[in-house]
Amino acid sequence: MDALTAAQTDLLRNLLAHHGVVILPDQHIDDDQFRLFLRSFGKTVFTEGETPVPGHPDLNVISNVGRTTPPRSQFHVDTSYVRHPPAYTALRAVDVPEQGGQTLFSNQFRAFETLPADVRENLLDRTVTHVMTGLELDDDAETSAEHPLCRVHPVSKRTALYLSTPQRCAAVSGLSPEEAEYTVASLLEHSTREDNVLRHNWSPGDVVMWDNRAVMHRADHSGVVGDRVMHRGMVAEAV
């Protein structure tokens, strides 16, 4: 896999805009090829505070190697606490464990569309204040941003619930703290029902890309046997 043609990029953009996730098996690419693939979609971006891939400062490492306890992961959207969050995230499998280590994706279009009509109506004009958690950033770094709770995708024009893990959803416009907490928890439970979640079992050589405007994701670290190492890259949204 190398840089994509314009036609290939447009095809994948449209698939992502309507389905949220694209799985590309048996790629077996290195980091240079991975970066070329990512840059077909736009400018790569890096989350300050993450661990970079040696020699590739715009990629970061996600790994369980050397840990005495499994990593923790909740459903979330990548870097939603900045004004312009990344549009796309992709992972390439470096080391796949013998057992476990799935990545889960929720369909946020379907989550919105399956809400009762009166609930959708009540949410349409609300915003969520997303905040940074778990990273040490410079004093001038962005740590908070406000985004529509019901976000219209610029390509598909479908509406998705735009949420993240509860600790990162600090406030909902027009709601008291207690109402906001209940609303976020209820919407997350609704969004992550088993019938609204894709579970990806990793195989060597896999590359998986998703649209952060259409899905939430989390890694399932329960029952992992062996090393799980992924390299992650993100692409900025055109503004």
Side-chain angles (χ1 to χ4, degrees):
M1 181 194 294
D2 295 306
L4 302 178
T5 66
Q8 290 171 326
T9 303
D10 287 344
L11 173 62
L12 287 178
R13 282 187 189 278
N14 276 287
L15 288 171
L16 289 162
H18 288 87
H19 301 284
V21 183
V22 170
I23 297 167
L24 304 169
D26 297 320
Q27 299 301 311
H28 300 282
I29 59 175
D30 61 22
D31 287 317
D32 288 331
Q33 293 169 308
F34 189 38
R35 290 170 72 193
L36 285 173
F37 167 73
L38 291 164
R39 289 174 179 174
S40 300
F41 293 86
K43 179 184 176 182
T44 54
V45 291
F46 185 83
T47 300
E48 185 179 343
E50 299 283 6
T51 303
V53 173
H56 298 276
D58 54 347
L59 306 178
N60 73 277
V61 180
I62 299 173
S63 174
N64 70 344
V65 177
R67 296 183 62 106
T68 57
T69 59
R72 292 184 297 174
S73 180
Q74 295 176 280
F75 276 101
H76 66 284
V77 172
D78 285 333
T79 323
S80 61
Y81 53 84
V82 299
R83 285 170 295 170
H84 302 296
Y88 304 110
T89 299
L91 292 176
R92 80 170 187 92
V94 178
D95 288 316
V96 175
E98 301 168 32
Q99 179 179 308
Q102 296 176 325
T103 302
L104 283 60
F105 301 94
S106 67
N107 184 331
Q108 294 305 100
F109 292 136
R110 188 170 183 271
F112 174 79
E113 292 162 0
T114 55
L115 287 170
D118 60 329
V119 175
R120 291 200 305 268
E121 184 67 25
N122 182 262
L123 299 176
L124 278 177
D125 295 324
R126 299 196 188 278
T127 60
V128 179
T129 302
H130 293 245
V131 297
M132 180 277 296
T133 62
L135 295 173
E136 294 186 8
L137 305 183
D138 294 337
D139 290 342
D140 59 349
E142 283 187 271
T143 59
S144 178
E146 195 171 342
H147 300 294
L149 176 53
C150 304
R151 190 174 179 185
V152 178
H153 195 283
V155 177
S156 68
K157 306 305 179 184
R158 296 175 69 187
T159 300
L161 284 177
Y162 190 71
L163 295 166
S164 196
T165 183
Q167 295 91 331
R168 297 182 185 177
C169 296
V172 179
S173 63
L175 300 182
S176 68
E178 294 77 16
E179 290 171 327
E181 182 179 359
Y182 173 80
T183 297
V184 169
S186 298
L187 292 176
L188 280 167
E189 181 179 4
H190 172 77
S191 297
T192 58
R193 296 178 307 180
E194 196 65 30
D195 64 354
N196 195 46
V197 169
L198 166 70
R199 291 176 170 266
H200 177 62
N201 292 295
W202 289 90
S203 296
D206 281 358
V207 172
V208 177
M209 190 172 202
W210 63 92
D211 192 317
N212 283 295
R213 300 160 296 188
V215 301
M216 291 189 295
H217 67 281
R218 80 171 183 90
D220 185 353
H221 296 289
S222 61
V224 174
V225 177
D227 292 345
R228 183 184 190 275
V229 181
M230 305 284 165
H231 287 182
R232 182 182 77 163
M234 300 186 298
V235 179
E237 183 169 18
V239 294

